Amino acid sequence: MMSLFRFVSRVLILLTLVAAPAAAQTPILNQFIGELAAADLVEGADGFGPIRADLPVAPILRGSETVGWAFVTSDFVGTTGYSGKPIHVMVAIGPDAVLQSVTLVKHSEPIVLIGIPEAKVKALTASYAGLDIAAEAAQGGAAHDLNIISGATVTIMVIDDSVVRSSIRVARALGLGGLVVEAAPEGPRFEINAGATAADDWHTLVGDGTVRRLSLDVGQVNRAFEQVEDPRAAQRPISGPEDETFIDLYATLVSIPGITDALLEPGEAQNLRDWLAEGEQALLVAGRGQYSFKGSGYVRGGIFDRIQLIQGDISVRFRDREHRRVGAIAAEGAPSLSEMDMFRIPADVGFDPTQPFRLQLLVQRDVGAIERVYTTFEMGWQPPAAFLTEIAPQAAPAAALLAETDEAAAKTALWQRIWRDKKVEIGVLAAMLGLLTIVFFFQDFVTRSAKATLWFRMGFLTVTLVFLGWYANAQLSVVNLMALAHSLVTDFTWEAFLLDPLTFILWFSVAAALIFWGRGAYCGWLCPFGALQELTNRIAKLFHIPQWHLPWGLHERLWPLKYILFLGLFGVSLASIDQAEQLAEIEPFKTAIVLKFDRAWPFVLYVGVLLFVGLFIERFYCRYLCPLGAALAIPARIRMFDWLKRYRECGNPCQTCANDCMVQAIHPTGEINPNECLNCLNCQVLYRSKTKCPVVQRREKRRATASAGAAALDRVLTNHPNRKET
């Protein structure tokens, strides 16, 4: 068996090394241009020309005539959606800068998981055909109405933003529709004047533009919805007086030192400075009225989908980890505001605090049971002249070198900022790992009391499920391992893995634990879904639900299934990591832990079946189906220590531990299978039990007999007539 696992390990390493792609910097267009015919993009076209060397676009040909240009949005702009992965859209643009077709070619969005047909998203994407990019460039990308699918707001906003911005860039680069590449701005350059001060009263701050205001009443919003294409929006106006406040919205760049001191209390101002890393900025948004600029979508999805910051060709959407509430506005005369929040602008998005920007507000209206219509309003902001200082221009090579340095620094600052934001979670995880390590090292002492061991285990598993799983979403997955293997042969960077501190720490602790204890340290104690299975089974036992102990022959033939599943997934990942991630839905972790059962019914039913079977067969999924457990078991063969103690009589004839092992990891012959063992320590409790272990009972009986014999002999000797007194 050991030789088999060594062979498998070597095969996996070899396959990983030979699976390196030919080129890591190939344009994304290369991946998809062969999937669509030219006629699918432009009517009457019959082929593509070669992709340009200077720009990732390909001419669309009708004979020898170029009738358009094809490109993928993610070659030009960031297109990260809810899933954290790019949304790839193929665009065909004509010589007049009008879009000929727009096709969603690939995404990793969980759209279908919440009941939204993918065809609906593809249809909306295709509706961008006919969009005049020259007009969009003239109006900063705001010349069209934004159509939204309810429940997929962020996804659609990402698609809209990426289609418009990438098309503007391509049109300018190719000179389509009369557009030209924008020359570098001439004239003086500026930086923020850290010594400038702002007024200390609210009315002056609003009056001089330091704080900008967008005030909408009910009548304005009703009239705006009358202009949208869907007539149902006008049929459901907001009730109430037309002059009633719908939203009174204020915004400013609060990271500018003078504005910080004017608007925030000293303690909160210092907290803001500690919160921001080098190159980061912060936007203060405050409001009151009927409508919330935050909404509640960020609670479920982590993204504030009602506001976005737009500056030139960049747009910034804010996530919950980039958000902080503000306790109070310090400026004299500030109104009572129901919402006051700060949003951090990462250093790597290209935002320039010295340049104007727009804050876009998305307003929604229900037109059906699950349907909504949307419209947008905007406010502009630019730093007052007092906060700007002119700087001398830099030479181009130095500027380019500085840009590269800033990019590296920005990446480092990003993951460091995330780690600072997760200090509490990291501390709790460190305490859990430290406590578990102590328990494993001193298990002889811990397992002396069966009751104490049981309560400790149930308490630890509860923390694992509630804190690590449902709160922190720190559920490891076989997808992590496949992504790591893929990145090792493509574009591995530590920054990509450091962005999720809890997962990073867990994987390193798992790697260390494999040397000492095998896979059981994670699978038996730190896996949230494993904890869910065991806790539900424990409840089932309290209600006297019968437990099924599979015959050893059947069990021995079922447990290799998980290794087959893992090897299959790993093999698929070598050909297509995306296909492997879809097949990895064999793992119930996303449904039960990450999404907390808020998913389409087939996924919930699948998890329900696993948990139901687990009421009768303890840890059913862990035993037979978990590819992650199999992946951890293979390298766990290198573990250097064997901590679990056994008697010579274990298995021959005693079967107490084998019959009581929750995952049947103990062979009838007495050996513990380290690949299946979850280190629950139950066998070590039994090893010391004077009531359950026959070996201990016999030894106690012999010890008692020997003690009784010694006492009797002592009495005889004491009363012997020939004994002399001393």
Side-chain angles (χ1 to χ4, degrees), residues 216-220 222-223 226 239-246:
L216 300 173
D217 58 35
V218 169
Q220 289 174 295
N222 283 337
R223 287 189 291 275
E226 290 172 2
S239 58
E242 287 205 346
D243 60 354
E244 183 177 337
T245 300
F246 177 75

Side-chain angles (χ1 to χ4, degrees), residues 522-539:
Y522 175 76
C523 296
W525 294 84
L526 294 166
C527 175
F529 187 75
L532 177 61
Q533 290 181 92
E534 188 165 337
L535 291 171
T536 52
N537 178 268
R538 180 64 58 176
I539 294 172

Side-chain angles (χ1 to χ4, degrees), residues 28-33 56-57 70-77 79 87-91 105 166 170:
I28 297 172
L29 177 61
N30 262 0
Q31 302 176 28
F32 302 108
I33 197 167
V57 299
F71 64 92
V72 175
T73 56
S74 40
D75 271 326
F76 293 90
V77 297
T79 60
I87 302 172
H88 302 296
V89 178
M90 179 80 79
V91 179
V105 290
S166 61
V170 171

Side-chain angles (χ1 to χ4, degrees), residues 357-434:
F357 65 83
R358 311 191 315 269
L359 184 66
Q360 187 178 79
L361 175 70
L362 186 72
V363 179
Q364 63 189 36
R365 174 169 290 181
D366 294 330
V367 295
I370 58 172
E371 292 184 88
R372 291 172 178 168
V373 174
Y374 299 82
T375 190
T376 58
F377 300 88
E378 292 185 352
M379 75 161 73
W381 190 91
Q382 65 181 34
F387 293 102
L388 300 178
T389 299
E390 186 175 344
I391 58 175
Q394 289 180 315
L401 179 60
L402 181 62
E404 292 179 5
T405 304
D406 288 347
E407 178 69 15
K411 291 180 178 179
T412 301
L414 177 62
W415 71 259
Q416 289 177 345
R417 172 170 54 85
I418 293 173
W419 280 64
R420 287 194 298 270
D421 290 347
K422 297 283 188 180
K423 285 186 292 188
V424 174
E425 291 89 340
I426 292 171
V428 175
L429 176 57
M432 293 177 66
L433 294 175

Side-chain angles (χ1 to χ4, degrees), residues 344-359:
R344 183 169 47 194
I345 305 170
D348 59 352
V349 301
F351 177 79
D352 185 351
T354 68
Q355 297 300 313
F357 65 83
R358 311 191 315 269
L359 184 66

